[in-house]
Amino acid sequence: PHVIVAAQPDGTAEKVYSTSFRPLQRLLQEHPGMEARGSGQAVYIDDPEATPNLPQPHYLALMHLFDEVTDQYLHFAYRFDVEPPFTVLQLSSQLPLTEAEAFPGGVPFAFVGGLAVAERTVAITYGAGDRDARAFVLTLAGLDEMFACGNATAD
């Protein structure tokens, strides 16, 4: 369920494109009760040398699965096509974010907030336990390795 919307001058959003991605559908089937949610931010990538698992121009974005019962999040990066309908091309393995408790004895969690790419360095900013600001920083090639997992590409 990858949905592209266009913001309207009156503040509403209009759905422009919607596509599905079989590996994401399988991931949701493996985690019943979880809901996929994306972000409004995407970064254009065109660096075949640093992204051999997808050596073509693409957008990089972040998404998470959310379980309303346990308040747990699973975070992933994904890549999608630069041309309409902006089809999802790959899904990474789970991002290794460090979680924290919001209060002593609470459920530890992390929540991704931002994505930046500069000079082949990727910074994924996130909050841990609603109290710590953190960043997961790695090279673009290092992130590319997270797309080498068995279910990463469309069938």
Side-chain angles (χ1 to χ4, degrees):
H2 187 237
V3 178
I4 305 295
V5 298
Q8 303 302 312
D10 66 1
T12 62
E14 176 186 345
K15 182 165 59 169
V16 181
Y17 301 104
S18 180
T19 60
S20 60
F21 184 61
R22 190 168 292 150
L24 179 56
Q25 291 171 330
R26 280 196 296 265
L27 184 61
L28 290 169
Q29 289 171 348
E30 292 168 7
H31 296 89
M34 291 197 125
E35 179 180 308
R37 299 179 181 173
S39 68
Q41 182 181 14
V43 177
Y44 178 77
I45 305 292
D46 185 7
D47 191 339
E49 186 179 310
T51 60
N53 286 306
L54 189 61
Q56 68 188 51
H58 60 273
Y59 285 107
L60 174 67
L62 303 172
M63 54 114 18
H64 63 267
L65 300 184
F66 177 66
D67 186 328
E68 291 185 6
V69 174
T70 64
D71 288 336
Q72 291 292 288
Y73 295 92
L74 302 176
H75 297 89
F76 302 87
Y78 70 98
R79 295 167 165 168
F80 62 97
D81 201 352
V82 297
E83 297 294 331
F86 306 103
T87 304
V88 175
L89 302 170
Q90 294 181 322
L91 182 68
S92 75
S93 56
Q94 186 176 341
L95 299 174
L97 306 180
T98 303
E99 298 177 327
E101 299 172 341
F103 53 89
V107 176
F109 69 94
F111 187 81
V112 167
L115 171 67
V117 180
E119 298 181 16
R120 292 189 170 173
T121 299
V122 179
I124 298 171
T125 59
Y126 66 100
D130 281 342
R131 61 184 177 94
D132 297 333
R134 298 184 181 178
F136 175 49
V137 180
L138 69 168
T139 64
L140 188 57
L143 182 64
D144 183 71
E145 291 174 12
M146 296 183 74
F147 287 94
C149 57
N151 69 345
T153 56
D155 358 42

